[in-house]
């Protein structure tokens, strides 16, 4: 078994899409992901003695091991609302899946076992040196949150370093054995360091990732934030998007549309009744992308990403996309002219489900019945299966928005005031999907809804989003008991068994 170390170049901008698909105009300066340098915002905080309340910096080490990626992050955040965030360390190793044409659960488990402790050890060398200035006066309301003074150090390679304030780990949903490795490592660290443990929800973390991006941006210059800080901390904007917003979570294991009303309240609006959209794209990638292109991609293959590259070699220049102006247009059969057709699933119903297994079945049937097909025909099939899948995602969004408009926006799932759709999960890397979402929102009268999406390394599974969720939960007073266990299925919606807070093992230090 071999593993590939993925250290993607860090794009310091959030992909924010409004009327057209375009990266944010302001590309923030790049720096090493392991850099220990202080950002301009940090320097500003540290140097000016006239600065009113200096804010303590919270530090967490976070672990993600729910599937086949082993990820560790050290994230630092200025305590309090609107606090800027910085990565001290962020690394990921993905299981080499090409031999198995996908995730191999047992070998992925082996990868976690072999890599995690080593990665944690490496991360500890990126903890702030104990001599680095650290402000300590501003409380954040969490009585366990104190982290200054000589006792709050760990020794790494003979050097004194700042001890994390708490340890964050993915508790679920995911593969139970894989989660257990991360969870037990995190428990060991929390016990050894005598700091709180936070076992967080992986899907909640995807939903909050755009808020992490806004905090990272604040750390990279954050003009607005700095001005507010200089005025004594008043009116400091919190992370964006602010609640409520819509979350479209699309990954290899999940497809869901939720109304994110607050940190722990994400009401389900639509969900998949079988496989996830990322799973469909991966399976179609294996069937349609030419073997030579797969071989050239190396050991670690994201088949869904290859499918997009194969379908649109010139990117947006190849789209030729006309959004369906009505639902009737959206559910039209596609006739290829080569003797095969594609039927959009769920055309008979407006139930709030996604159906991707049927679409995969149609592709398999076409390939079986058509016999040999050349690359051009494969490409046509790839384009249209993606179009139909993404229009289904967009179509359920339109239904949610228009049904709500009919209800005049009352009820507890009101979308009337929604201005932002936050898209996250690995499939959010797909530019064609983002183009379809934007185009359909515009043509159906929802151009006032902006789309935000994190940069690719934060869309796919990563420990940065886990660390951020830990930060938000910790600052809200939440901590986990040490006896928490992994959770294979863990809903976000409070109406489904209490959702995020419905599982045992949470305690709130503010209520104690
Ligand atoms: P996650 O489960 O969040 O780690 O995301 C992995 C999923 O993202 C896989 O199913 C991939 O197929 C999908 N994915 C990653 N990049 C892309 C892309 N550019 N286009 C489509 N899907 C992608
Ligand atoms: Zn995920």
């Amino acid at each position: 078994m071999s593993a590939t170390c993925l250290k993607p170049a860090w794009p310091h901008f959030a992909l924010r899409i409004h009327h057209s698909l375009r990266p944010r105009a302001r590309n923030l300066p790049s720096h090493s992901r392991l850099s220990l340098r202080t950002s301009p915002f940090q320097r500003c905080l540290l140097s000016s003695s006239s600065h009113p309340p200096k804010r303590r910096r919270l530090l967490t080490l976070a672990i993600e091991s729910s599937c086949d990626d082993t990820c560790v992050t050290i994230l630092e955040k200025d305590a309090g609302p609107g606090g800027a965030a910085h990565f001290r360390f962020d690394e990921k190793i993905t299981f080499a899946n090409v031999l198995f044409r996908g995730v191999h659960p047992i070998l992925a488990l082996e990868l976690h076992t072999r890599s995690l402790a080593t990665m944690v050890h490496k991360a500890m060398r990126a903890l702030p040196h104990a001599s680095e200035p650290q402000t300590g006066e501003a409380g954040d309301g969490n009585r366990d949150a104190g982290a200054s003074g000589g006792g709050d150090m760990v020794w790494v390679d003979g050097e004194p370093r700042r001890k994390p304030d708490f340890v964050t780990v993915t508790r679920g949903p995911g593969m139970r054995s894989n989660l257990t490795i991360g969870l037990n490592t995190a428990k060991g660290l929390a016990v050894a360091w005598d700091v709180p443990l936070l076992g967080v929800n992986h899907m909640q973390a995807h939903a909050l990732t755009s808020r992490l991006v806004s905090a990272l941006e604040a750390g990279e210059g954050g003009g607005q934030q700095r001005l507010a800080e200089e005025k004594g901390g008043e009116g400091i904007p919190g992370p964006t998007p602010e609640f409520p917003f819509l979350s479209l979570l699309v990954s290899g294991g999940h497809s869901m549309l939720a109304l994110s009303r607050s940190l722990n309240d994400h009401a389900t609006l639509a969900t998949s009744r079988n496989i996830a959209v990322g799973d469909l794209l991966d399976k179609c990638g294996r069937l349609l992308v030419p073997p030579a292109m797969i071989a050239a991609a190396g050991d670690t293959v994201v088949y869904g990403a290859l499918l997009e590259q194969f379908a649109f070699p010139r990117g947006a220049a190849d789209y030729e996309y006309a959004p369906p102006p009505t639902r009737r247009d959206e559910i039209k059969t596609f006739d290829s002219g080569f003797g095969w057709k594609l039927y959009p699933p769920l055309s008979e119903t407006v139930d709030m489900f996604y159906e991707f297994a049927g679409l995969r079945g149609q592709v398999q049937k076409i390939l079986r019945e058509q016999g040999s097909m050349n690359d051009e025909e494969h490409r046509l099939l790839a384009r249209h299966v993606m179009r139909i899948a993404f229009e289904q995602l967009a179509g359920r969004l339109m239904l949610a928005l228009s049904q709500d408009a009919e209800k005049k926006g009352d009820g507890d799932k009101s979308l009337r005031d929604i201005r932002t759709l936050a898209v996250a999960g690995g499939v959010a890397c797909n530019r064609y999907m983002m183009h379809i979402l934007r185009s359909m929102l515009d043509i159906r009268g929802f151009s006032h809804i902006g789309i935000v999406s994190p940069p690719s390394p934060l869309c796919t599974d990563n420990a940065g989003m886990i660390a951020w969720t830990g930060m938000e939960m910790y600052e809200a007073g939440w901590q986990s008991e040490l006896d928490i266990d992994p959770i294979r299925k863990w809903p976000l919606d409070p109406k489904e068994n209490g959702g995020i807070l419905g599982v045992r093992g949470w305690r709130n230090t503010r209520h104690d």
Side-chain angles (χ1 to χ4, degrees), residues 346-358:
L346 302 180
S347 48
E348 312 279 296
T349 172
V350 290
D351 287 352
M352 294 299 273
F353 285 107
Y354 300 119
E355 161 59 72
F356 297 114

Side-chain angles (χ1 to χ4, degrees), residues 299-366:
D299 278 354
T300 304
V301 175
V302 183
Y303 292 92
L306 274 192
L307 184 73
E308 184 184 13
Q309 283 164 29
F310 168 63
F312 302 108
R314 295 180 306 144
D318 286 328
Y319 289 170
E320 295 170 7
Y321 179 67
T326 65
R327 175 152 165 80
R328 185 179 299 207
D329 299 304
E330 180 190 315
I331 56 181
K332 271 188 190 153
T333 301
F334 170 69
D335 188 340
S336 69
F338 289 99
W340 51 267
K341 295 180 181 175
L342 279 174
Y343 304 91
L346 302 180
S347 48
E348 312 279 296
T349 172
V350 290
D351 287 352
M352 294 299 273
F353 285 107
Y354 300 119
E355 161 59 72
F356 297 114
L359 206 46
R360 178 189 60 189
Q362 288 187 51
V363 172
Q364 287 167 327
K365 185 161 176 280
I366 289 168

Side-chain angles (χ1 to χ4, degrees), residues 69 206 250-253 278-279 281-282 302-305 308 425-427 429-430 459-461:
D69 299 307
H206 275 306
V250 277
S251 66
D279 196 358
L281 298 174
D282 289 338
V302 183
Y303 292 92
E308 184 184 13
V427 185
C429 303
N430 192 302
C459 282
T460 49
D461 287 350

Side-chain angles (χ1 to χ4, degrees), residues 123-205:
M124 284 173 63
R125 297 187 186 115
L127 287 168
H129 199 276
S131 61
E132 229 181 271
Q134 148 79 345
T135 52
E137 4 356 350
D140 63 357
N142 191 320
R143 68 178 169 80
D144 289 316
S148 56
D152 294 317
M153 280 192 287
V154 283
W155 290 86
V156 187
D157 298 336
E159 293 286 323
R161 300 208 170 260
R162 216 179 106 209
K163 187 165 80 175
D165 297 285
F166 57 97
V167 178
T168 313
V169 62
T170 307
R171 183 182 178 187
M175 295 185 225
R176 207 189 303 269
S177 325
N178 300 31
L179 290 165
T180 302
I181 294 193
L183 199 51
N184 285 343
T185 305
K187 285 183 185 185
L189 290 170
V191 169
W193 290 340
D194 191 23
V195 296
L197 172 76
L198 275 97
V200 303
N201 185 303
H202 178 97
M203 297 310 290
Q204 177 192 21

Side-chain angles (χ1 to χ4, degrees), residues 191-399:
V191 169
W193 290 340
D194 191 23
V195 296
L197 172 76
L198 275 97
V200 303
N201 185 303
H202 178 97
M203 297 310 290
Q204 177 192 21
H206 275 306
L208 299 177
T209 310
S210 290
R211 289 165 64 82
L212 161 64
V213 173
S214 79
L216 290 170
E217 286 181 337
E220 287 291 349
Q224 232 192 334
Q225 222 116 357
R226 194 165 55 237
L227 278 178
E229 232 5 272
E230 278 160 6
K231 282 189 211 147
E234 286 200 9
I236 298 175
T240 55
E242 283 172 21
F243 299 111
F245 56 89
L246 279 168
S247 293
L248 181 61
L249 308 179
V250 277
S251 66
H254 302 269
S255 314
M256 101 184 260
L257 178 66
L259 173 58
S260 295
R261 286 184 287 219
S262 67
L263 181 58
N264 290 312
D265 182 349
H266 306 264
T268 308
L269 300 174
T271 187
S272 175
R273 69 178 178 199
N274 41 56
I275 63 169
V277 62
D279 196 358
L280 167 75
L281 298 174
D282 289 338
K283 293 212 161 86
C284 290
R286 272 176 249 152
L287 293 169
L288 300 174
V289 174
M293 195 171 160
I294 294 178
D299 278 354
T300 304
V301 175
V302 183
Y303 292 92
L306 274 192
L307 184 73
E308 184 184 13
Q309 283 164 29
F310 168 63
F312 302 108
R314 295 180 306 144
D318 286 328
Y319 289 170
E320 295 170 7
Y321 179 67
T326 65
R327 175 152 165 80
R328 185 179 299 207
D329 299 304
E330 180 190 315
I331 56 181
K332 271 188 190 153
T333 301
F334 170 69
D335 188 340
S336 69
F338 289 99
W340 51 267
K341 295 180 181 175
L342 279 174
Y343 304 91
L346 302 180
S347 48
E348 312 279 296
T349 172
V350 290
D351 287 352
M352 294 299 273
F353 285 107
Y354 300 119
E355 161 59 72
F356 297 114
L359 206 46
R360 178 189 60 189
Q362 288 187 51
V363 172
Q364 287 167 327
K365 185 161 176 280
I366 289 168
L367 292 174
R368 221 174 25 244
E369 290 179 355
Q370 294 295 305
S372 71
M373 271 179 163
N374 63 23
D375 279 358
E376 278 321 297
E377 217 177 319
H378 274 163
R379 183 168 283 130
L380 186 71
L381 183 51
R383 285 182 180 181
H384 286 278
V385 78
M386 274 197 276
R387 176 184 60 76
I388 289 172
F390 298 151
E391 285 182 352
Q392 193 189 135
L393 290 170
R396 262 44 200 170
L397 171 63
M398 300 304 130
L399 283 173

